[in-house]
């Protein structure tokens, strides 16, 4: 008992910033709940409408209805067309989306705060007057089918669906939210309409609004927009199951495309609001919540039985699951030994408990996550909505810290014994299939789910909306779109340069007690002699120093919830730091240590190399990855942009520790780096910390020359068909573009937006909305440091792949002859200029923009120039850019799909070369 008291006291003595959210709550007469948090730090607002309906509420014979409405709710009303919701929100500079889970469906908008009335008007329209007809259902069902194929076609594509029935055998959680294609094909529109009528009602909805708006105003606008919609019968609820541990069993999952083996121990968990949920979260953090956790140290760091090991809990509204898992190497792994090691670590906690230090470390990590959550209005809205809808009490958002602090060492041991009972575990294995892509290539196609089952088509649909519900006479007939908001496009920052040439910049923002620091390297992977060296070198920085081993360093970092990690892109590299303000001194000290005293131990290098190779085995089995890789290769030839920063399997296999050290020694120089602090820190403190821990870092000799390599010459349009027998084909189309320095770059931003940068863009409108050939299509110009690309990216089932490629080429041709309409141009300009405040919501976003300006050599007033140029863009300028910069006769076209099925059709478009991996 004395130890318990000491542990709680030690945790309580630690400084902890307030994480409370000052929310307010109201309820309309029709049952609509309203939750708000006022946040005037940025003139934007997050609007989320949470419907308490998810896949668990579906008829078992109609799986996918909740997810289908994630799509159908954007199809319009008698007053709104099929893209109007997207168009109107985008016109403000905002964005909208939706997602579906087992328990809820959430519709999200993020837009300028003075446009709140528009978002509420739109949400009320589809709550009351949604148009549900055969045409919309048929189109969106095709889109959902492509979304499902996209998931199934990737690595471990059916793993979740195969696993859920074992975990939730008698509960609707046993099927995935994406839905069943045969069920949706068998459904009638009247069934779909009945589902909407039952669940999408005001008394089953919670409106969450967070941002620069007063609670009273939100309630007033909500009453005006939703108050007239009548309360309906409360939807039926699925009864929550009683807690019952699993029967012990061993499950071996056969997954056709499993590039690396997986093994796991799975246990029955608890719902999100259960009193033990927090203790379980802390337990799983101690077991497998980072590189200093027990299973990671045992399986990965010490015994090298796995390349990754983790633990976690999935707490749903009515049930939960706890898992301890490991990713094994595709070659030479032993799943039985990994299972034994995981079970042993669980037993150690059950028998011996955990230490006070471990519990404090887990507490600190959870606290840090709550603090970071407060950086954006969207994340705060999501947390508030979850507490209100899934936990049944919005105030629980402000009791999280108390619940974390109240967990004791005895609680951790108790829940370990109660829930991680090895006699009631599912021992699961997914056998590795390193030849997954080849198996997919030569294996039979599984088309059982594509069976042509169709429901009875509806010929005389009723009037849109709810039977008997009529809009009030004073309801606005047209969307209440407000005018643009004026704002300052300049960002405030301070800076100082150390004697060693290191530039230190500070973007101060005291709203949230969190500090980030990014040490940016002006040299990226394009400068490396051996492909992959820069990426691994940056990751190796935290794998050991003269003062700390890898294990000691990860222990110190995670004990104080300090995030310190390095990565390299093609253009630049960065060492990133994030921590609470009270740990900033420690964080910068460790940043300086890994820069000045890193040792890149050979043993740690071999571990990281093994982990990277396993990750690449997974990535390279994904058709999307294959398409991107082939497109880069054909587009850039021998230029560094033809490769990824991580390299491919063959590249990593050849890397040595010396390759990493050579790159780092050459390019890790203070006179070639910039350190940017952001958040709750001022220039005096940041400058002092940088001087204290990084001024000893001195450049050696002259800075290395960095010559920009030549780009390849363009060639006539050609199709590269990568043979892959999946259920869906990936498509990439494009050619080389230009950089930010091009005088036409500003106009190209407008062209890209109306061509392929929005839901209602020409590409997506044609390929998804009208034809239902894909889940999504995007395209346009993008620019990097040394080159640019004009690219279109999409996917389609194999039977319609040729049609999709033709549609893309037709839209490219149209782009060159048809100037943007007045609406296209006005909406695009309105979006780009209106979206600017949301890109500057956090000091971290501002810091990122400052770094980009420095790397690309852009002027300090670049943003002001960009916004001014876009605001004055004309249709003639857009057409000129399309004609001058788009080369429809020099396209690189990459298709990843079954060659025997696609070659003949693609040859009617352009010459085809078959690529076999």
């Amino acid at each position: 008992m004395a130890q318990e008291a000491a542990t709680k006291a030690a945790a309580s003595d630690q400084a902890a910033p307030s994480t409370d959210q000052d929310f307010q709550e109201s309820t309309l007469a029709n049952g609509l709940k309203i939750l708000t948090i006022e946040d005037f730090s940025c003139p934007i607002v997050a609007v989320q409408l949470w419907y308490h309906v998810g896949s668990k509420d579906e008829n078992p014979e109609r799986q996918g209805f909740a997810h289908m409405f994630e799509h159908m709710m954007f199809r319009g009303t008698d007053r709104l067309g099929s893209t109007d919701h997207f168009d109107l929100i985008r016109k403000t500079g905002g964005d909208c989306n939706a997602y579906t889970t087992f328990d809820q469906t959430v519709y999200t908008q993020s837009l300028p705060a003075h446009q709140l009335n528009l978002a509420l008007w739109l949400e009320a329209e589809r709550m009351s007057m949604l148009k549900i007809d055969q045409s919309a259902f048929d189109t969106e069902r095709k889109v959902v089918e492509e979304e499902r194929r996209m998931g199934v076609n990737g690595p471990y594509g059916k793993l979740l669906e195969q696993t859920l029935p074992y975990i939730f055998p008698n509960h609707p959680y046993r099927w995935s939210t994406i839905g069943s294609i045969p069920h949706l094909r068998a459904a009638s529109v009247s069934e779909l309409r009945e589902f909407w009528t039952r669940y999408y009602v005001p008394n089953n909805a919670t409106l969450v609004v967070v941002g620069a708006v007063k609670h009273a105003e939100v309630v007033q606008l909500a009453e005006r927009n939703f108050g007239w919609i009548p309360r309906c019968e409360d939807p039926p609820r699925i009864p929550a199951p009683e807690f019952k541990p699993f029967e012990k069993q061993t499950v071996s999952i056969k997954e056709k495309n499993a590039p690396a083996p997986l093994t796991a121990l799975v246990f029955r968990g608890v719902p999100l609001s259960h009193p033990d949920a927090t203790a379980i979260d802390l337990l799983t953090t101690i077991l497998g919540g980072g590189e200093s956790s027990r299973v990671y140290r045992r399986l990965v760091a010490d015994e090298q039985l796995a390349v990754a090991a983790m633990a976690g809990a999935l707490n749903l509204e009515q049930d939960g699951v706890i898992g301890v898992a490991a990713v094994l190497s595709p070659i030479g792994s032993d799943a039985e030994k990994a299972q034994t090691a995981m079970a042993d670590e669980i037993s150690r906690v059950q028998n011996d408990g955990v230490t006070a230090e471990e519990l404090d470390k887990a507490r600190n990590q959870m606290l840090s996550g709550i603090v970071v959550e407060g950086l954006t209005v969207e994340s705060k809205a999501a947390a508030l909505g979850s507490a209100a809808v899934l936990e049944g009490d919005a105030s629980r958002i402000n009791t999280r810290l108390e619940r974390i602090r109240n967990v004791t060492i005895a609680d951790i041991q108790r829940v370990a014994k109660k829930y991680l009972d090895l006699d009631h575990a599912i021992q699961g294995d997914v056998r590795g299939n390193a030849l997954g892509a080849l198996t997919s290539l030569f294996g039979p196609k599984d088309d059982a789910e594509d069976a042509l089952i169709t429901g009875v088509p509806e010929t005389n649909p009723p009037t849109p909306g709810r039977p008997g519900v009529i809009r009030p006479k004073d309801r606005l007939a047209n969307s209440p779109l407000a005018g643009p908001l004026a704002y300052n496009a300049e960002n405030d920052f301070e800076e100082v340069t150390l004697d060693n040439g290191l530039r230190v910049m500070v973007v101060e923002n005291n709203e949230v007690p969190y500090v980030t620091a990014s040490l940016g390297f002006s040299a990226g992977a394009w400068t490396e002699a051996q492909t992959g060296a820069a990426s691994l070198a940056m990751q190796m920085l935290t794998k050991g120093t003269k003062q700390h081993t890898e294990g000691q360093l990860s222990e110190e970092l995670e004990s104080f919830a300090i995030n310190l990690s390095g990565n390299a892109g093609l253009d630049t590299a960065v060492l990133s730091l994030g921590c609470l303000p009270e740990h900033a001194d420690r964080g910068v000290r460790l940043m300086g240590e890994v820069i000045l005293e890193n040792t890149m131990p050979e043993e740690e290098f071999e571990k990281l190399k093994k982990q990277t190779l396993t990750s690449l085995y997974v990535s390279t089995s994904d058709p999307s990855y294959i398409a991107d890789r082939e497109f880069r290769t054909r587009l850039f030839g021998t230029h560094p942009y033809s490769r990824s920063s991580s390299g491919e399997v063959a590249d990593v296999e050849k890397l040595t520790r010396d390759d990493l050290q050579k790159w780092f020694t050459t390019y890790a120089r203070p006179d070639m780096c910039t350190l940017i602090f952001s958040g709750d820190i001022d220039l005096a403190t940041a400058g002092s910390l940088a001087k204290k821990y990084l001024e000893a870092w001195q450049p050696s000799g002259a800075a290395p020359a960095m010559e920009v390599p030549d780009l390849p010459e363009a060639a006539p349009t050609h199709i590269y068909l990568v043979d892959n027998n999946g259920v869906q084909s990936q498509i990439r189309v494009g050619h080389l573009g230009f950089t930010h320095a091009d005088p036409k770059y500003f106009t190209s931003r407008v062209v890209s937006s109306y061509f392929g940068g929005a839901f209602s863009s020409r590409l997506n409108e044609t390929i998804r909305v009208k034809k239902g050939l894909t889940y999504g299509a995007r395209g346009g110009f993008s620019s990097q440091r040394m080159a640019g690309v004009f690219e279109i990216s999409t996917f389609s089932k194999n039977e319609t792949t040729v049609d999709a490629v033709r549609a893309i080429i037709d839209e490219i041709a149209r782009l060159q002859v048809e100037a943007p309409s007045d609406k296209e141009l006005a909406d695009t300009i309105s979006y780009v200029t209106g979206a600017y405040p949301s890109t500057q919501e956090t000091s971290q976003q501002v810091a990122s923009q400052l770094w980009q300006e420095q790397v690309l050599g852009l002027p300090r007033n670049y943003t002001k120039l960009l916004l001014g140029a876009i605001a004055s863009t004309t249709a003639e300028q857009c057409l000129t850019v399309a004609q001058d910069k788009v080369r429809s006769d020099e396209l690189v076209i990459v298709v990843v799909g079954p060659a025997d099925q696609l070659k003949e059709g693609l040859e009617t478009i352009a010459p085809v070369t078959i690529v076999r991996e």
Side-chain angles (χ1 to χ4, degrees):
M1 291 296 292
Q3 183 182 8
E4 288 296 296
T7 301
K8 291 180 70 174
S12 299
D13 287 343
Q14 294 183 9
S18 173
T19 58
D20 283 0
Q21 299 295 343
D22 186 16
F23 75 91
Q24 299 182 64
E25 184 172 2
S26 298
T27 303
L28 300 186
N30 59 10
L32 178 69
K33 294 179 182 177
I34 303 167
L35 294 166
T36 68
I37 298 175
E38 297 176 6
D39 180 348
F40 290 87
S41 61
C42 185
I44 61 174
V45 66
V47 180
Q48 299 182 0
L49 192 58
W50 289 60
Y51 286 100
H52 199 173
V53 54
S55 57
K56 79 171 186 297
D57 301 295
E58 298 163 346
N59 180 332
E61 300 303 317
R62 290 293 182 266
Q63 298 171 21
F65 268 30
H67 176 245
M68 176 57 68
F69 271 101
E70 177 189 319
H71 293 253
M72 292 294 294
M73 290 282 275
F74 287 100
R75 292 297 303 189
T77 69
D78 56 341
R79 291 179 173 177
L80 292 168
S82 59
T83 67
D84 283 353
H85 195 117
F86 288 100
D87 292 348
L88 288 165
I89 294 294
R90 183 172 174 80
K91 191 171 184 178
T92 71
D95 291 293
C96 58
N97 212 327
Y99 65 89
T100 308
T101 73
F102 296 100
D103 299 308
Q104 81 272 17
T105 306
V106 184
Y107 298 88
T108 66
Q109 282 89 192
S110 179
L111 70 169
H114 73 295
Q115 302 282 6
L116 173 63
N117 193 33
L118 170 65
L120 300 188
W121 184 86
L122 288 168
E123 288 291 3
E125 274 293 296
R126 60 185 176 188
M127 179 186 283
S128 59
M129 296 293 175
L130 187 66
K131 183 179 181 181
I132 307 173
D133 59 20
Q134 191 71 48
S135 175
F137 180 36
D138 290 345
T139 299
E140 290 305 317
R141 189 186 65 227
K142 291 177 184 177
V143 172
V144 169
E145 290 182 11
E146 290 307 319
E147 182 181 4
R148 176 176 163 75
R149 292 187 187 98
M150 176 177 61
V152 169
N153 221 33
Y156 310 103
K158 289 191 175 181
L159 179 58
L160 179 65
E161 293 177 10
Q162 293 187 74
T163 304
L164 287 173
Y166 291 103
I167 299 173
F168 305 109
N170 301 311
H171 190 278
Y173 287 151
R174 67 183 179 272
W175 61 80
S176 69
T177 58
I178 190 70
S180 162
I181 290 178
H183 288 190
L184 294 176
R185 289 185 175 182
S188 67
V189 176
S190 59
E191 289 178 292
L192 209 67
R193 190 178 293 113
E194 181 183 354
F195 190 84
W196 173 74
T197 303
R198 182 184 308 126
Y199 289 104
Y200 297 80
V201 297
N203 45 302
N204 195 43
T206 299
L207 175 66
V208 184
V209 178
V210 179
V213 63
K214 292 287 188 180
H215 177 75
E217 181 184 356
V218 175
V219 174
Q220 180 185 23
L221 291 174
E223 178 64 48
R224 181 192 307 167
N225 284 285
F226 295 95
W228 60 275
I229 304 173
R231 184 187 183 100
C232 300
E233 182 180 349
D234 289 337
R237 293 295 177 210
I238 300 295
E242 293 184 9
F243 176 81
K244 184 180 180 181
F246 296 132
E247 295 293 329
K248 186 174 183 178
Q249 58 181 313
T250 299
V251 176
S252 182
I253 301 293
K254 294 181 180 180
E255 174 63 42
K256 183 167 62 175
N257 188 2
L262 310 176
T263 189
L265 294 171
V266 182
F267 307 87
R268 170 72 68 215
V270 298
L272 194 59
S273 59
H274 193 280
D276 285 340
T278 301
I280 290 173
D281 285 340
L282 288 163
L283 167 63
T284 55
T285 300
I286 292 168
L287 274 174
E291 294 186 6
S292 68
S293 66
R294 291 194 175 199
V295 295
Y296 187 93
R297 300 316 304 170
R298 173 80 178 270
L299 275 75
V300 181
D302 297 337
E303 298 183 15
Q304 298 185 48
L305 298 172
V307 295
M310 67 291 293
L314 174 63
N315 306 116
L316 302 171
E317 182 186 16
Q318 294 187 341
D319 208 340
V321 61
I322 306 168
V324 183
V327 180
L328 310 181
S329 172
I331 301 172
S333 59
D334 190 324
E336 186 175 347
K337 284 185 177 180
Q339 283 265 1
T340 300
M342 290 189 296
D344 185 47
E345 290 303 318
I346 291 171
S347 296
R348 283 182 56 216
V349 175
Q350 292 171 330
N351 296 329
D352 305 328
V354 300
T355 67
E357 291 77 14
E358 285 180 307
L359 182 52
D360 283 344
K361 178 173 62 174
R363 283 191 180 114
N364 288 341
Q365 291 179 53
M366 291 182 69
L367 168 63
S368 180
I370 294 173
V371 172
V372 172
E373 174 186 274
L375 289 172
T376 68
V377 292
E378 284 191 351
S379 58
K380 287 193 284 190
L384 184 58
S386 178
V389 177
L390 303 184
E391 299 183 63
D393 183 359
S395 68
R396 284 177 63 86
I397 193 175
N398 288 334
T399 62
R400 292 178 294 178
L401 181 56
E402 179 185 1
R403 297 199 301 269
I404 292 169
R405 287 192 174 284
N406 285 340
V407 173
T408 66
I409 290 176
D411 289 328
I412 298 294
Q413 190 171 21
R414 175 182 59 80
V415 296
K417 289 179 178 180
K418 180 175 181 178
Y419 298 102
L420 303 189
D421 185 346
L422 293 167
D423 290 330
H424 292 277
I426 297 176
Q427 298 181 4
D429 289 300
V430 179
R431 297 177 181 177
N433 179 12
L435 300 179
L438 285 177
T439 303
S440 177
L441 175 62
F442 296 111
K445 177 185 175 185
D446 180 10
D447 57 0
E449 64 181 19
D450 283 339
L452 293 176
I453 305 170
T454 57
V456 178
E458 187 174 61
T459 55
N460 297 305
T463 303
R466 300 184 183 281
V469 175
I470 301 174
R471 294 184 182 93
K473 294 181 179 180
D474 61 349
R475 176 154 174 82
L476 292 175
N478 298 312
S479 58
L481 186 66
L485 180 70
Y487 51 82
N488 181 15
E490 299 290 344
N491 294 315
D492 293 329
F493 71 94
E494 297 180 280
E495 67 174 307
V496 64
T497 301
L498 304 186
D499 290 343
N500 60 1
L502 179 65
R503 187 180 184 188
V504 180
M505 306 172 73
V506 179
V507 182
E508 185 178 358
N509 185 324
N510 309 118
E511 180 192 3
V512 176
Y514 200 73
V515 174
T516 60
S518 297
L519 182 64
F521 293 59
S522 60
W526 71 277
T527 61
E528 62 197 7
Q530 300 295 328
T531 301
S535 177
L536 260 65
M538 294 302 296
Q539 294 177 67
M540 280 295 295
L541 293 182
T542 56
K543 300 301 181 183
T545 69
K546 293 177 182 178
Q547 299 184 48
H548 292 87
T549 65
E550 177 271 333
Q552 291 169 340
L553 188 57
S554 62
E555 178 69 27
E556 181 165 0
L557 289 169
E558 292 177 5
S559 292
F560 294 93
I562 299 171
N563 296 310
L564 183 65
S565 62
N567 67 83
L570 286 170
D571 284 337
T572 62
V574 65
L575 179 64
S576 301
L577 168 70
C579 61
L580 298 177
E582 57 263 34
H583 302 316
D585 185 283
R586 185 184 299 271
V588 179
R589 171 174 63 78
L590 293 173
M591 173 182 273
E593 182 180 321
V594 302
I595 288 291
L596 293 166
E597 301 182 22
N598 70 80
T599 55
M600 297 193 183
E602 182 70 37
E603 182 181 2
E604 297 302 331
F605 167 69
E606 291 299 331
K607 291 178 188 177
L608 179 60
K609 185 174 178 178
K610 192 175 182 180
Q611 292 172 321
T612 303
L613 286 170
T614 302
S615 177
L616 284 171
Y617 287 139
V618 176
S619 298
T620 54
S621 297
D622 189 333
S624 179
Y625 182 96
I626 295 170
D628 290 335
R629 181 182 62 195
E630 188 69 22
F631 185 73
R632 288 194 310 266
T633 301
R634 299 298 176 179
L635 205 62
F636 286 103
T638 59
H639 190 278
Y641 282 177
S642 66
R643 61 184 190 243
S644 68
S645 58
S646 64
E648 302 299 330
V649 169
D651 300 316
V652 175
E653 286 177 335
K654 291 186 294 185
L655 281 174
T656 67
R657 173 176 172 271
D658 290 341
D659 294 326
L660 276 58
Q661 288 183 314
K662 182 178 179 181
W663 179 85
F664 186 78
T665 302
T666 303
Y667 295 105
R669 301 166 52 99
D671 54 347
M672 294 178 64
C673 291
T674 300
L675 179 60
I676 307 180
F677 287 90
S678 54
D680 194 7
I681 192 168
D682 57 27
L683 179 64
T685 304
S688 175
L689 291 175
K691 183 178 179 66
K692 183 178 179 181
Y693 296 117
L694 288 165
E695 197 163 48
W697 183 22
Q698 295 294 324
S700 177
M706 296 194 297
E707 297 182 2
V708 179
D710 293 331
L711 292 165
E713 294 293 328
T717 296
H718 197 90
I719 298 175
Y720 299 92
L721 175 56
V722 184
D723 197 9
N724 184 291
N725 194 30
V727 296
Q728 186 184 70
S729 298
Q730 287 285 335
I731 303 167
R732 305 291 184 271
V733 179
H735 56 69
L736 291 177
F738 47 88
T739 68
H740 293 77
D742 193 287
K744 294 181 179 177
Y745 172 77
F746 291 161
T747 306
S748 76
R749 291 277 298 267
V750 178
V751 175
S752 297
S753 185
Y754 70 74
F755 172 67
F759 183 84
S760 57
S761 65
R762 293 180 178 184
L763 269 178
N764 202 63
E765 172 76 15
T766 296
I767 301 174
R768 171 179 168 159
V769 178
K770 291 182 178 178
K771 299 186 177 183
L773 299 176
T774 185
Y775 176 67
R778 56 185 172 83
F781 296 98
S782 63
S783 296
Q784 293 173 264
R785 187 174 184 174
M786 296 176 287
V789 174
F790 175 73
E791 179 183 1
I792 295 94
S793 173
T794 192
F795 46 85
S796 189
K797 66 180 180 180
N798 297 327
E799 293 78 6
T800 57
T801 293
V802 175
D803 293 337
V805 174
R806 287 189 184 280
I808 290 170
I809 292 175
D810 289 344
E811 286 303 321
I812 292 174
R814 177 186 167 201
L815 181 66
Q816 294 181 290
V817 298
E818 184 180 319
S821 66
D822 291 344
K823 183 179 185 303
E824 284 178 318
L825 183 60
D827 287 356
T828 298
I829 291 174
S830 180
Y831 169 73
V832 175
T833 56
Y836 180 76
S838 65
T839 68
Q840 310 298 294
E841 180 184 3
T842 69
S843 56
Q844 289 75 23
Q845 290 173 302
V846 175
S848 178
Q849 181 175 311
L850 292 174
W851 174 234
Q852 182 188 45
E853 290 175 357
Q854 183 170 339
V855 170
L856 299 177
L858 303 175
R860 181 66 195 92
N861 63 341
Y862 178 76
T863 299
K864 192 172 183 178
L865 295 173
L866 170 67
L867 295 176
I870 287 176
S872 60
T873 299
T874 66
E876 291 73 22
Q877 289 173 323
C878 291
L879 186 59
T880 298
V881 166
Q883 293 172 340
D884 291 352
K885 298 295 187 179
V886 177
R887 302 190 297 278
S888 56
D889 58 345
E890 297 176 350
L891 297 172
V892 171
I893 302 175
V894 170
V895 177
V896 178
D900 58 349
Q901 186 175 348
L902 300 175
K903 181 175 182 291
E904 183 177 352
L906 291 174
E907 283 179 330
T908 64
I909 298 173
V912 175
T913 295
I914 296 178
V915 180
R916 300 190 189 278
E917 297 199 315

